[in-house]
């Protein structure tokens, strides 16, 4: 059975304090791993797709990496506007994403 | 390009009633998926439609149903509402199979 586990559940950082979020997955035949950002009261916003171990993608202060068992979302010198819940997900069928429970990130000025 | 639009944004219903939620996908996107989000269960897949056909269904009771129209717009219906159906219902559209899903801001359903 597909499993996606995210850690930590919540993370508080000082502005400028870099850190990483973890997404561990167990799937039979990875067909991509997706990262999303969700702000309160809004739908998830797509950030990245990773397809193969060793792949990396960057967007502003965020960098996503993928190994055969997990993905990391590295946040470099975060700002308060990076505060959000970060979700990872893997495909479980036709446009059916299996989501982790997310990491709630708070960046304190 | 306009994003995914969901209406209404908020709904309050009573147990036993039924409700219909609407979703307009991004122009050109033919796949529409629906998800339920609750604090306890997180985001859970309901169903996915492509060209008016349901291709995939999650593990929800038959009270949850949906349909897609020829213009790709979609509706989902929940009959005989229960308190546990209170949730944020999210619609997402996609350009093709397993390409990124683009979500709307959801319909917040409260069942009293």
């Amino acid at each position: 059975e597909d499993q996606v586990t995210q850690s930590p559940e919540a993370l508080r950082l000082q502005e400028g304090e870099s850190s990483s979020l973890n997404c561990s997955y167990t799937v039979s035949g990875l067909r991509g791993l997706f990262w999303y950002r969700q702000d309160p009261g809004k739908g998830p916003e797509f950030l990245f797709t990773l397809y193969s171990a060793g792949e990396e993608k960057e967007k502003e202060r965020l960098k996503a990496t993928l190994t055969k068992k997990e993905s990391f979302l590295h946040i470099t010198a975060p700002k308060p506007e990076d505060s959000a819940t970060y979700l990872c997900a893997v495909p479980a069928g036709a446009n059916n994403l299996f989501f982790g429970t997310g990491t709630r990130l708070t960046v304190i000025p | 390009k306009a994003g995914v639009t969901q209406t209404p944004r908020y709904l309050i219903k009573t147990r036993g009633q039924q409700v219909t939620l609407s979703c307009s996908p991004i122009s050109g996107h033919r796949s529409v998926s629906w998800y339920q989000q609750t604090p306890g269960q997180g985001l859970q897949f309901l169903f996915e439609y492509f060209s008016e056909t349901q291709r995939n269904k999650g593990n929800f009771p038959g009270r949850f149903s949906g349909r897609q129209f020829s213009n790709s717009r979609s509706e989902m219906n929940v009959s005989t509402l229960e308190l546990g159906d209170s949730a944020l219902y999210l619609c997402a559209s996609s350009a093709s199979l397993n390409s990124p899903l683009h979500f709307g801001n959801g319909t917040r359903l409260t069942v009293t």
Side-chain angles (χ1 to χ4, degrees):
Chain A
E1 184 178 299
D2 294 346
Q3 288 287 336
V4 176
T5 304
Q6 290 190 248
S7 61
E9 283 188 23
L11 181 63
R12 288 171 64 89
L13 299 173
Q14 290 292 133
E15 184 171 0
E17 180 187 1
S18 301
S19 188
S20 296
L21 313 182
N22 177 263
C23 172
S24 298
Y25 62 89
T26 305
V27 297
S28 52
L30 185 67
R31 289 161 290 157
L33 185 138
F34 297 80
W35 281 99
Y36 285 83
R37 166 195 171 127
Q38 186 173 24
D39 293 295
K42 294 194 171 184
E45 175 190 349
F46 171 72
L47 293 173
F48 305 108
T49 310
L50 302 166
Y51 287 103
S52 55
E55 189 175 358
E56 297 183 353
K57 288 193 176 171
E58 287 189 62
K59 180 180 179 179
E60 296 180 4
R61 295 176 292 282
L62 300 177
K63 183 169 80 172
T65 62
L66 183 67
T67 72
K68 287 187 178 178
K69 292 185 178 181
E70 56 193 350
S71 178
F72 292 93
L73 186 64
H74 307 277
I75 304 177
T76 303
K79 298 182 177 182
E81 52 263 41
D82 295 321
S83 297
T85 296
Y86 291 86
L87 299 158
C88 70
V90 296
N95 289 336
N96 165 9
L97 289 182
F98 188 86
F99 281 87
T101 52
T103 293
R104 188 172 65 254
L105 173 66
T106 304
V107 182
I108 305 160
Chain B
K1 221 177 196 181
V4 176
T5 304
Q6 291 188 246
T7 56
R9 284 283 281 138
Y10 302 94
L11 266 178
I12 301 176
K13 290 286 186 178
T14 304
R15 270 182 305 175
Q17 288 185 315
Q18 75 165 19
V19 66
T20 299
L21 313 181
S22 181
C23 172
S24 294
I26 292 172
S27 177
H29 286 191
R30 294 165 64 190
S31 169
V32 173
S33 309
W34 288 89
Y35 289 78
Q36 181 195 66
Q37 187 172 32
T38 59
Q41 299 295 320
L43 270 156
Q44 292 187 288
F45 173 76
L46 281 157
F47 28 66
E48 187 258 359
Y49 287 87
F50 181 85
S51 293
E52 303 179 66
T53 300
Q54 186 183 92
R55 290 196 297 193
N56 209 349
K57 189 177 191 309
N59 190 24
F60 279 82
R63 300 184 296 107
F64 292 81
S65 63
R67 60 177 176 168
Q68 187 181 33
F69 302 97
S70 59
N71 61 359
S72 294
R73 194 176 67 83
S74 178
E75 289 181 347
M76 70 162 279
N77 183 276
V78 188
S79 63
T80 319
L81 284 166
E82 301 177 358
L83 294 177
D85 296 334
S86 294
L88 181 66
Y89 289 89
L90 292 159
C91 168
S93 74
S94 173
S96 62
L97 187 63
N98 287 332
S99 60
L101 300 185
H102 298 273
F103 285 85
N105 285 328
T107 294
R108 171 75 62 186
L109 172 65
T110 302
V111 182
T112 61

